[in-house]
Amino acid sequence: MKIDVKKLKEIVGEENVRDNIADLYVYSSDASVHSSKPDAIVRPSSIKEVQEILRYANKNKIPVIPRGAGSGMSGQTVPLSGGIILDMKRMDKIIEIRPEDVICKVEPGVINDELNRVLQPYGFFFPPTPSSGRICTIGGMIGTNASGVRSVKYGATRDAVIGMKVVLANGDLVTFGSNTKVDSSGYQLAKLMVGSEGTLGIVVEATLLISPLPKYRSMGVANFSALEDAGRMISETIAAGITPSMLELMDNVAITAVNNAQNLGLPDVDAIVIFECNGMLKEAVEYDMGRVKKVCKKNNGTGIRVSNDPDEMTRIYEGRKKLFPSLSKYREGLFTTALADDMAVPMSKIADTVHEIHVIAKRNNVVMSAYGHCGAGLIHTKILMDTNKKSQWEDAKHAVKEVYDYVHKVGGTTSGEHGIGFSKGPAFKQEKKDSLEMMKAIKKALDPNNILNPHKLMDSPDDWLTATPLRYQVTK
Amino acid sequence: MATKAINNSKHLKKYEKEMNMCIRCAYCFEECPVIKETQWDTDGARGKIIMSYGLLTGELEPSQYIADKLFRCTFCRDCLDKCPSNINILEIISSARADLVKAGYASDTHKHVIKNIKDTGNIYGDTEVISQEREGKIPLFIGCQYLGRPNKTKKYIKILEKLGIDPVVENEMCCGYPMEVLGFREDFEKHKEKFQKSFPYKDAITLCPTCTVFLREGHQIDAKHVLQVMLEKLPKANLDMKVTYHDPCDFSRGLKIIEEPRKILEKLGVEIVEMKNNKENSRCCGGGGGILMTDQDLSGDIARKRIKEAIETGVDILVTSCPTCEQVLKKAAQEISEDEGKSISVRNIEDIIWRGLKKSAEIS
Ligand SMILES: Cc1cc2nc3c(=O)[nH]c(=O)nc-3n(C[C@H](O)[C@H](O)[C@H](O)COP(=O)(O)OP(=O)(O)OC[C@H]3O[C@@H](n4cnc5c(N)ncnc54)[C@H](O)[C@@H]3O)c2cc1C
Ligand code: SF4
Ligand code: SF4
């Protein structure tokens, strides 16, 4: 079906539709390894415009892929069969802030950090805290159920979204959820939308729970010469009923990469754990930090350093903050790729999983790092490889499969926060095999013509490597 | 698995690896003045890197459209500060520009400026625009922007004289920065030799922030901006003024000359009320990277945003230390005054220094 660009321009205005090959190419990729061009990019500025675009697309069975900042790591916004990219960044109004109800209402194009800047004078913040918060949009965070370093205490985006307005595939506008924290009124459709990767509807307004900004915060770091000790320290901290506001692990590959890239002089140990506690009472924060320190010591943590000085805390966190991009500095000629990048496992399995990841990487001639919000059971890995080389992609494919097989075996899940898209499609379908048909039925009920972000999640191709062309040059 | 052919993009080829290291995170969007105006991904640094990659792999054919997009950058350096992968974004953009120019996609305005430099040694194409040669001790590089504003240049030279700095002025020619930034690299290679003959120094003081950067990076001359040199020598004065200060991008994020202008103003009795975005986080005026020549509307939109920020401080004078920033911001201030009735006057720092020196008891 050829897209009627003129019609789209009538809806959103001449300047908000593009179909030049250069724009299509730019919008063909995100932070994943995939690449595939849309037929047009359309930028609505109102609910009415979104409705009209969807009515047109539904009638003509044209795929529509909502997109925020395009920082997704699994190819969620990459259009496998062309169609319209719906760039939501122009819908960026903060509609209202209601501190008395501890909620705010926003349009989907609002950027996470911008929302937090506006909330700050009210003494509140929006807790999910993804590292990409400076550019990622609330719509995108809802799409992927984003979380972050603070999720160990505050939960993920799904925990903070209580209501929303959604434009369905046929252009109808519906309201899901409520304005209350508790809601026992039937199916929780607002929660269903979170993590649906744009496959069920276009979120045009979201009602979010906000949290009071903590008055005190303290950060610490400990080194571990055995990975298992670090893993045990993390699970014992949580099991002891302590609620740190951050509990992050960095393995030796991550440490080496950060040292190479940022020259931070981190110790060459098996693992580093960074922890933070926050709260309204200084004494309570110090008490909790004391308890975390004890758990560190019990598990052979050394070089324990704790501070509540903002500059020192920034220094402690610096390496973790710049970790992902630093990975390409691990070894000359290896580039970091967003593959098998955010599985979650039961807390007690963290150390074993990290250990296994390295065994798998070695067996498959790639390098893998492991780090992440392990306090929430989340392990980030990236595959470091020569992206020019065909054989390395085959190696990566085997490694990815083996990692997920292991994660599923220990009771973990395919994605903890970045979502499925294409890259994790095969593993996701394997993990959720019992519920795939049910998911397909839900999709069909809401989007009978399958126009909303098709070929994702349960409908993703069976082989991520051939699902789309890769965004890298493969020449060797 | 699809494999891609590498196109023959001579300049971009060098950055293939660097482009592979771009994780496509879009952190470079955060404060990019261009994408903030247009909100199109194509206009942010990530978009420009993706297009450059497409040109290199041959997935994109060079076109006027792509050239226009790659020339929509003020070279404000904000993306360099934000990029977690330390990608040399500006080198990639200027390499893409160079390949596009080679493929025949230079704009007529840019071609005209480059021809002017080749014909007359300055961007104006006017053989009358020449520096007044002067014997002295320390080589001073004036640069095209100041050469075109002789009164300002005279003022700066007088200031230097009064402070006991004895500048040598040659019959200089353009440093060649426009050739590099606008993608005329081959012309620059030829020009470089001529320039270095006309300005045969290893150290120099300079008036223009951008020339300061380019003498260092393009010619390996140890260039210092006059503000750095004069800070210690300036006497105190009591101008009793309240101003806001706009950091030129080549100062704030390029050379990190952030405190010197502030200290100079303070020494002269000028109180600075900072804008919301200041120092390293200062916002661009919209005048750099060649955008002023080809995309005046966009440049004006960026400048007006900055002027609005300045007006929010409540003071009625904005001081800057770059003649291009001054020109662009002055125009924006005038437009805002006409449209919204809010006014702020834009001055360059040498005016303030000159007034300070006149007022200072030690000089008068
Ligand atoms: C360097 C880096 C660090 C990152 N760190 C984190 C992290 O700490 N935690 C984390 O969770 N993620 C992280 N991510 C991944 C990514 O930033 C998040 O998934 C983010 O939430 C995506 O937001 P976005 O605006 O870029 O959305 P996009 O990538 O544009 O879209 C994401 C999904 O949401 C859908 N969508 C977008 N808008 C709407 C809408 N209005 N209605 C319906 N669906 C919509 C899209 O179709 C897509 O499926 C990181 C990514 C990078 C590159
Ligand atoms: S230099 Fe400035 S204008 Fe150019 S891409 Fe970077 S941030 Fe944007
Ligand atoms: S910030 Fe750097 S790594 Fe990220 S997309 Fe921009 S250029 Fe690439």
Side-chain angles (χ1 to χ4, degrees):
Chain A
M1 167 75 207
K2 199 167 157 11
I3 288 182
D4 184 352
V5 171
K6 195 163 154 264
K7 164 84 186 157
L8 293 170
K9 285 184 177 171
E10 275 164 23
I11 300 173
V12 292
E14 172 91 28
E15 64 288 5
N16 290 309
V17 180
R18 282 194 183 165
D19 62 348
N20 185 286
I21 178 80
D23 294 301
L24 302 180
Y25 185 69
V26 167
Y27 280 84
S28 69
S29 62
D30 53 11
S32 73
V33 299
H34 303 284
S35 147
S36 177
K37 283 196 280 295
D39 295 302
I41 304 125
V42 182
R43 308 191 307 170
S45 68
S46 67
I47 295 179
K48 204 168 147 282
E49 287 178 2
V50 175
Q51 288 182 280
E52 279 187 55
I53 296 163
L54 285 187
R55 275 187 207 118
Y56 161 75
N58 198 40
K59 191 167 153 220
N60 296 287
K61 300 198 171 52
I62 296 167
V64 175
I65 299 96
R67 173 166 162 133
S71 68
M73 288 191 174
S74 316
Q76 287 99 335
T77 55
V78 176
L80 179 60
S81 49
I84 297 169
I85 289 267
L86 207 62
D87 181 337
M88 301 300 289
K89 286 200 290 294
R90 287 178 72 221
M91 292 184 68
D92 62 353
K93 281 188 222 45
I94 295 174
I95 299 161
E96 59 174 345
I97 294 170
R98 289 167 34 185
E100 66 284 7
D101 292 325
V102 203
I103 61 171
C104 69
K105 288 180 189 270
V106 300
E107 288 188 336
V110 169
I111 288 168
N112 177 76
D113 282 9
E114 181 56 25
L115 176 60
N116 282 325
R117 267 191 288 277
V118 174
L119 287 173
Q120 200 203 12
Y122 295 86
F124 283 89
F125 77 115
F126 179 55
T129 327
S131 314
S132 51
R134 58 179 64 189
I135 46 93
C136 76
T137 63
I138 300 298
M141 290 172 68
I142 291 175
T144 57
N145 188 24
S147 62
V149 289
R150 302 246 147 71
S151 296
V152 56
K153 177 165 179 171
Y154 298 94
T157 301
R158 186 174 284 121
D159 301 295
V161 175
I162 56 171
M164 60 177 67
K165 285 187 181 158
V166 176
V167 173
L168 299 176
N170 63 6
D172 285 356
L173 177 69
V174 291
T175 302
F176 293 153
S178 65
N179 292 308
T180 59
K181 185 168 179 175
V182 290
D183 181 340
S184 194
S185 311
Y187 295 155
Q188 301 294 302
L189 297 179
K191 305 277 179 192
L192 172 66
M193 291 299 296
V194 184
S196 65
E197 302 189 2
T199 60
L200 298 180
I202 311 295
V203 179
V204 287
E205 184 185 308
T207 306
L208 311 172
L209 282 174
I210 50 181
S211 293
L213 275 167
K215 285 202 168 64
Y216 299 95
R217 153 173 114 82
S218 181
M219 199 181 279
V221 60
N223 309 323
F224 294 86
S225 49
L227 193 57
E228 300 74 58
D229 287 341
R232 213 174 318 107
M233 176 263 160
I234 289 169
S235 57
E236 281 184 18
T237 302
I238 302 295
I242 309 168
T243 321
S245 45
M246 184 195 293
L247 192 51
E248 294 283 309
L249 174 104
M250 283 168 71
D251 75 348
N252 187 268
V253 173
I255 295 167
T256 310
V258 168
N259 278 341
N260 290 351
Q262 320 283 341
N263 211 3
L264 290 184
L266 300 178
D268 182 20
V269 288
D270 247 24
I272 289 179
V273 173
I274 301 172
F275 48 95
E276 182 200 73
C277 293
N278 68 12
M280 293 298 174
L281 269 180
K282 193 165 174 235
E283 293 73 15
V285 171
E286 279 170 5
Y287 175 73
D288 275 349
M289 286 299 277
R291 290 176 71 202
V292 183
K293 264 165 68 178
K294 261 192 205 151
V295 184
C296 282
K297 279 186 193 145
K298 179 172 168 250
N299 288 292
N300 309 316
T302 57
I304 302 169
R305 192 154 53 102
V306 166
S307 174
N308 55 13
D309 170 57
D311 291 341
E312 177 67 2
M313 288 195 283
T314 305
R315 272 193 295 278
I316 290 176
Y317 191 56
E318 192 64 15
R320 170 62 186 92
K321 198 170 146 204
K322 297 201 168 149
L323 179 53
F324 172 31
S326 300
L327 289 168
S328 286
K329 301 273 162 62
Y330 175 73
R331 196 185 298 151
E332 182 66 22
L334 298 186
F335 299 98
T336 173
T337 55
L339 289 171
D341 58 321
D342 69 322
M343 67 284 294
V345 294
M347 210 78 67
S348 61
K349 304 288 188 234
I350 285 171
D352 289 350
T353 309
V354 172
H355 176 78
E356 188 63 21
I357 283 168
H358 291 303
V359 174
I360 292 171
K362 201 158 178 207
R363 192 161 55 230
N364 289 289
N365 310 313
V366 292
V367 174
M368 289 180 82
S369 60
Y371 59 98
H373 326 315
C374 291
L378 191 122
I379 303 173
H380 281 313
T381 62
K382 295 285 173 293
I383 294 192
L384 313 186
M385 61 176 177
D386 181 349
T387 48
N388 276 348
K389 237 173 158 177
K390 203 170 169 188
S391 63
Q392 280 269 275
W393 286 97
E394 292 296 338
D395 293 337
K397 183 173 156 180
H398 291 134
V400 166
K401 169 145 185 24
E402 288 178 27
V403 166
Y404 285 129
D405 284 347
Y406 183 82
V407 165
H408 297 160
K409 196 175 84 189
V410 298
T413 189
T414 307
S415 172
E417 64 177 21
H418 293 163
I420 303 301
F422 299 122
S423 317
K424 284 167 247 173
F428 168 76
K429 290 197 284 187
Q430 176 183 305
E431 179 197 340
K432 305 286 184 195
K433 53 182 178 303
D434 293 349
S435 45
L436 289 181
E437 286 311 314
M438 217 179 286
M439 289 186 207
K440 284 183 184 174
I442 294 171
K443 165 86 173 155
K444 194 148 181 78
L446 289 174
D447 178 18
N449 289 334
N450 193 24
I451 61 159
L452 289 169
N453 207 2
H455 315 292
K456 305 287 155 63
L457 296 168
M458 58 282 170
D459 296 324
S460 53
D462 290 334
D463 182 357
W464 62 263
L465 188 52
T466 53
T468 65
L470 296 167
R471 74 164 165 89
Y472 299 87
Q473 295 186 75
V474 184
T475 49
K476 290 188 252 176
Chain B
M1 195 188 319
T3 55
K4 299 170 183 174
I6 300 176
N7 209 19
N8 206 7
S9 304
K10 179 180 159 208
H11 297 282
L12 277 171
K13 182 83 190 84
K14 277 187 250 160
Y15 293 96
E16 183 192 347
K17 220 160 128 189
E18 189 108 0
M19 287 192 267
N20 268 332
M21 277 165 65
C22 164
I23 55 170
R24 308 231 168 143
C25 61
Y27 284 12
C28 45
F29 286 5
E30 194 183 356
E31 294 299 347
C32 168
V34 178
I35 199 172
K36 282 224 154 205
E37 286 305 320
T38 70
Q39 297 217 24
W40 281 107
D41 281 19
T42 316
D43 288 324
R46 179 179 67 175
K48 292 181 168 96
I49 290 192
I50 295 176
M51 281 187 286
S52 303
Y53 196 68
L55 289 171
L56 177 69
T57 59
E59 286 170 294
L60 288 181
E61 288 288 321
S63 68
Q64 193 55 53
Y65 187 86
I66 295 177
D68 290 348
K69 298 292 159 211
L70 277 152
F71 277 96
R72 288 192 123 187
C73 166
T74 66
F75 274 55
C76 74
R77 298 168 183 268
D78 198 89
C79 51
L80 297 181
D81 275 10
K82 301 291 186 303
C83 175
S85 313
N86 295 332
I87 306 293
N88 212 332
I89 299 165
L90 297 189
E91 281 291 324
I92 294 172
I93 296 177
S94 36
S95 300
R97 288 179 174 191
D99 284 334
L100 285 161
V101 166
K102 188 120 202 296
Y105 292 99
S107 80
D108 288 344
T109 328
H110 292 166
K111 276 194 233 164
H112 186 66
V113 171
I114 302 305
K115 185 171 181 306
N116 285 348
I117 300 174
K118 290 203 284 195
D119 291 351
T120 65
N122 63 54
I123 56 173
Y124 309 103
D126 184 348
T127 45
E128 301 286 303
V129 180
I130 48 163
S131 38
Q132 297 300 313
E133 286 174 65
R134 184 187 186 285
E135 307 245 318
K137 294 199 180 98
I138 302 176
L140 171 70
F141 184 74
I142 290 172
C144 293
Q145 294 297 343
Y146 274 94
L147 281 183
R149 296 164 173 86
N151 287 341
K152 281 181 180 295
T153 309
K154 271 188 212 146
K155 209 177 258 179
Y156 245 142
I157 291 179
K158 275 198 177 151
I159 293 170
L160 291 172
E161 284 167 352
K162 283 189 192 286
L163 296 178
I165 300 167
D166 188 12
V168 187
V169 180
E170 298 285 356
N171 182 6
E172 66 176 45
M173 59 170 68
C174 173
C175 65
Y177 174 73
M179 292 170 157
E180 170 63 24
V181 80
L182 300 179
F184 292 76
R185 282 206 174 145
E186 271 137 44
D187 289 316
F188 175 64
E189 282 316 311
K190 288 183 207 142
H191 179 80
K192 195 172 175 176
E193 217 174 288
K194 277 201 250 167
F195 170 83
Q196 288 175 357
K197 266 193 200 134
S198 76
F199 197 77
Y201 300 105
K202 290 256 170 303
D203 316 86
I205 53 174
T206 47
L207 303 184
C208 163
T210 307
C211 294
T212 319
V213 175
F214 199 64
L215 288 194
R216 289 186 190 190
E217 291 176 359
H219 301 285
Q220 291 70 51
I221 293 173
D222 184 10
K224 279 203 176 66
H225 192 269
V226 285
L227 296 183
Q228 295 177 288
V229 180
M230 65 173 59
L231 173 61
E232 294 305 318
K233 297 185 189 282
L234 263 183
K236 280 194 174 161
N238 184 13
L239 284 176
D240 199 18
M241 289 165 75
K242 224 182 204 181
V243 308
T244 189
Y245 177 72
H246 166 80
D247 298 81
C249 299
D250 280 325
F251 270 4
S252 55
R253 287 177 287 270
L255 299 162
K256 309 277 178 215
I257 300 180
I258 293 168
E259 290 311 321
E260 292 88 335
R262 287 177 169 76
K263 283 190 184 148
I264 286 177
L265 291 172
E266 275 162 27
K267 217 169 173 183
L268 299 175
V270 180
E271 186 189 332
I272 300 174
V273 182
E274 294 288 0
M275 283 183 256
K276 187 170 135 227
N277 297 296
N278 56 63
K279 303 183 181 176
E280 293 90 344
N281 296 322
S282 177
R283 296 284 177 270
C284 178
C285 74
I291 207 170
L292 194 52
M293 288 180 254
T294 44
D295 217 331
Q296 283 176 6
D297 288 347
L298 178 62
S299 167
D301 289 343
I302 298 171
R304 278 189 293 279
K305 219 174 231 173
R306 186 62 172 157
I307 285 293
K308 284 187 183 159
E309 223 185 286
I311 290 173
E312 271 169 28
T313 61
V315 302
D316 37 46
I317 301 174
L318 176 150
V319 178
T320 186
S321 36
C322 164
T324 309
C325 296
E326 184 193 13
Q327 175 194 335
V328 174
L329 292 172
K330 236 180 201 158
K331 183 162 171 273
Q334 195 184 336
E335 285 161 2
I336 286 184
S337 159
E338 283 162 13
D339 296 349
E340 300 176 23
K342 293 178 189 157
S343 65
I344 190 159
S345 109
V346 178
R347 313 283 292 276
N348 213 10
I349 197 162
E350 72 270 355
D351 281 342
I352 312 291
I353 299 174
W354 180 245
R355 276 176 64 178
L357 282 182
K358 283 218 297 208
K359 203 163 181 197
S360 151
E362 289 151 73
I363 301 267
S364 60

